[in-house]
Amino acid sequence: MHELPETIAVDLVLLPPGPIMDLAIGANRTLLAGNPDGGIRLDREGCLPHISVAMLPARSRDIPEIAAKVERITQRCSPPMALTIDAVAKHRKNAGETVSTFHILRAEILQLFHKTVMNAVMPHQAPSAGGSSAFSGGEASAPSVDCLLRFPKTSAYERYSPHITLGFGDLPEIIPPVSTSPSGSR
């Protein structure tokens, strides 16, 4: 059995249903065709399209308690949340690169779910992410480590902006608004 490092990266996510996953993977392939070294390669095995709900560095010994808390929260949620993808959003990053995403409307129920999960897991936030060694496989880009460390301060609570990251590049507006129910959390 693989031993976890003391501090690990935790990304609690909602998984969209199959057709939305396929749409995101297809959009990612379009971006990769224009930028083969794009870095983000979505698929159904290793890098699933997802909507991050909470992200933090945590002590590996706290994972069972974090999982139990999230399980209790999700057991109280029914029926599945209906979410709407309303646009392809584009964000410029520090290096001038464009990141394309499916923007998700921040419905009141999604905001409440996010806040509830964040409140439950934040007591488990570790003081340091341990760099890329905190990530599965021990490899992560500097932007991934930065995103993990900044999420609670810059992307949570009133700043929460739900989305599915598609990849690097400028994806044209290709879809009408789509409503979906996530298939679960991870």
Side-chain angles (χ1 to χ4, degrees), residues 128-151:
S128 155
S132 65
S133 66
F135 287 76
S136 176
E139 295 178 21
S141 65
S144 293
V145 173
D146 184 55
C147 182
L148 172 75
L149 296 174
R150 289 182 312 109
F151 187 90

Side-chain angles (χ1 to χ4, degrees), residues 49-151:
H50 62 273
I51 303 162
S52 290
V53 174
M55 194 182 302
L56 69 154
R59 289 175 194 84
S60 57
R61 68 177 182 260
D62 289 347
I63 296 303
E65 188 175 346
I66 291 170
K69 285 180 175 183
V70 172
E71 179 68 22
R72 283 192 295 275
I73 293 166
T74 59
Q75 291 299 318
R76 292 183 290 184
C77 295
S78 70
M81 285 182 271
L83 305 177
T84 301
I85 298 170
D86 67 339
V88 172
K90 297 154 192 152
H91 307 280
R92 296 249 183 254
K93 294 298 178 183
N94 295 346
E97 290 182 295
T98 299
V99 176
S100 291
T101 67
F102 284 159
H103 180 266
I104 311 286
L105 285 178
R106 191 174 72 177
E108 190 174 324
I109 189 70
L110 179 57
Q111 180 64 25
L112 178 61
F113 181 74
H114 158 75
K115 182 180 176 182
T116 303
V117 171
M118 285 295 295
N119 287 342
V121 302
M122 284 309 292
H124 301 285
Q125 182 175 15
S128 155
S132 65
S133 66
F135 287 76
S136 176
E139 295 178 21
S141 65
S144 293
V145 173
D146 184 55
C147 182
L148 172 75
L149 296 174
R150 289 182 312 109
F151 187 90

Side-chain angles (χ1 to χ4, degrees), residues 1 18 28-29 31-32 38-39 41 45 47 49 68 92 110 113 126 132 137 142 144 154 156 163 165 176 185:
M1 182 175 188
N28 175 256
R29 295 291 180 271
L31 289 168
L32 286 171
R41 296 186 187 286
E45 288 82 42
C47 189
R92 296 249 183 254
L110 179 57
F113 181 74
S132 65
S144 293
T154 64
H163 63 276
T165 301
S185 60

